[in-house]
Amino acid sequence: MAAQAVFDPVKYKETTRQQWQNAAEAWHRWGPAIESWLGAATEEMLTLAGVQPGSRVLDVAAGAGGQTLAAARRVGAKGTVLATDIAPNILAYAAQEARAAGLTNVETKVMDGEQVSLDRDSFDVVISRVGLIYLPDQHKALAHMREVLKPGGRVAAIVYSTAESNKFFSIPVSIIRRRAQLPPPLPGQPGPFSLGSPGALEGLFQQAGFRDVQIRVVPAPLRMPSAAECVRFERESFGALHQMLSGISGDAERESVWDEIARELRPFQTPRGFEGPCELIIGVGTK
């Protein structure tokens, strides 16, 4: 009998860090498209979290910082935003964009999302946009976020819902998983749809001690000029796909994988352009 696969969180985290180190420039370059796609959900998250002038905000797994800048604009000169991420390269782009926008209320700090080593009771709001899903110990991460919140402060996260409702992403994932002969995700393993099932995000917030948990499901179709452009976007900048593709050897085989992905995404091409199905969940809890 073959030995059962065991998830190694340390190896996974290091691989994830390296993949986002490598994908940082592309994720930053695609920033305008990302904000067009996620911007409305981001603003709704900030509203539900109560981000307002003077707020002190912590952004966990901030990436290139699109949501960091949105929060910084809301908190104004009397507020602050601290953007944190495990990958220094991608976080450097968040700092660069803040400077370019003239936002002097943004700071950055390289930090593991599961080890939020900051003063207790020091933030009004903690946010995480499609970052919590990739943390191996999501409960531990939320517990640390709760510790740094002031009493009455809120944590807010955006995650993907189910694979079925996010075919722009789940189709490439399923194709790569099959072609690389990867086993199904283990129970509790992080990944894009790890908090997408009904009740999963709400239950996680409650287990971490949050009260008054709110859950909002929002459509966020990924619109691109063409299916080919969507494939280029995902190919260049999606760290999770790069991580899975490492199991496929040979340039020709990898090209074949991307060709198959392109074919399977083509049905979402319309006369108005590509519209990839995407559904997000916004979760908010109060300390």
Side-chain angles (χ1 to χ4, degrees):
M1 179 182 294
Q4 184 176 3
V6 176
F7 175 65
D8 183 343
V10 175
K11 181 178 179 181
Y12 167 86
K13 194 178 295 185
E14 175 54 31
T15 303
T16 299
R17 185 192 71 82
Q18 191 56 54
Q19 291 295 349
W20 283 110
Q21 287 282 87
N22 297 339
E25 186 278 331
W27 191 256
H28 169 257
R29 180 162 30 87
W30 283 94
I34 294 168
E35 295 316 308
S36 176
W37 164 38
L38 297 177
T42 299
E43 293 298 337
E44 187 165 358
M45 173 184 69
L46 298 177
T47 297
L48 291 172
V51 177
Q52 59 189 347
S55 293
R56 190 168 188 223
V57 178
L58 171 65
D59 188 356
V60 175
Q67 69 291 332
T68 303
L69 272 60
R73 294 186 182 101
R74 285 204 180 203
V75 303
K78 294 185 178 180
T80 60
V81 181
L82 175 61
T84 64
D85 200 277
I86 197 172
N89 287 0
I90 201 166
L91 195 60
Y93 284 110
Q96 175 183 307
E97 287 301 299
R99 290 192 297 270
L103 295 168
T104 58
N105 56 354
V106 173
E107 296 181 4
T108 61
K109 185 177 180 67
V110 177
M111 185 178 295
D112 186 335
E114 295 176 10
Q115 300 286 347
V116 183
S117 304
L118 299 166
D119 292 340
R120 297 175 65 96
D121 305 334
S122 57
F123 290 90
D124 300 295
V125 176
V126 180
I127 61 173
S128 184
R129 186 175 80 175
V130 292
L132 182 61
I133 50 177
Y134 295 116
L135 300 181
D137 193 335
Q138 295 159 348
H139 180 273
K140 180 180 180 180
L142 276 177
H144 274 260
M145 294 179 199
R146 189 177 182 277
E147 285 183 0
V148 303
L149 277 174
K150 298 175 183 177
R154 294 175 182 171
V155 65
I158 295 177
V159 304
Y160 298 112
S161 68
T162 62
E164 180 63 25
S165 296
N166 287 276
K167 290 187 175 180
F168 87 98
F169 199 177
S170 63
I171 286 175
V173 166
S174 64
I175 290 172
I176 296 172
R177 187 175 295 281
R178 171 173 51 79
R179 297 284 293 267
Q181 299 182 337
L182 296 173
L186 298 170
Q189 186 172 337
F193 313 113
S194 57
L195 292 173
S197 59
L201 185 60
E202 181 178 15
L204 186 67
F205 273 38
Q206 291 170 343
Q207 291 165 16
F210 290 98
R211 58 183 174 84
D212 300 331
V213 178
Q214 302 177 62
I215 298 294
R216 190 77 55 89
V217 178
V218 297
L222 175 62
R223 296 185 174 94
M224 293 267 170
S226 66
E229 188 75 351
C230 176
V231 172
R232 190 165 72 90
F233 169 45
E234 296 188 14
R235 181 171 184 167
E236 291 182 3
S237 61
F238 274 45
L241 298 183
H242 284 249
Q243 190 166 334
M244 294 174 67
L245 273 166
S246 63
I248 297 177
S249 60
D251 292 343
E253 181 66 16
R254 292 188 184 189
E255 285 299 323
S256 174
V257 170
W258 285 113
D259 288 344
E260 183 178 352
I261 290 170
R263 287 196 302 272
E264 293 299 315
L265 288 180
R266 207 164 289 140
F268 302 113
Q269 179 80 39
T270 75
R272 299 178 303 278
F274 176 83
E275 188 168 303
C278 174
E279 184 180 77
L280 303 172
I281 303 173
I282 304 172
V284 180
T286 303
K287 179 175 179 178

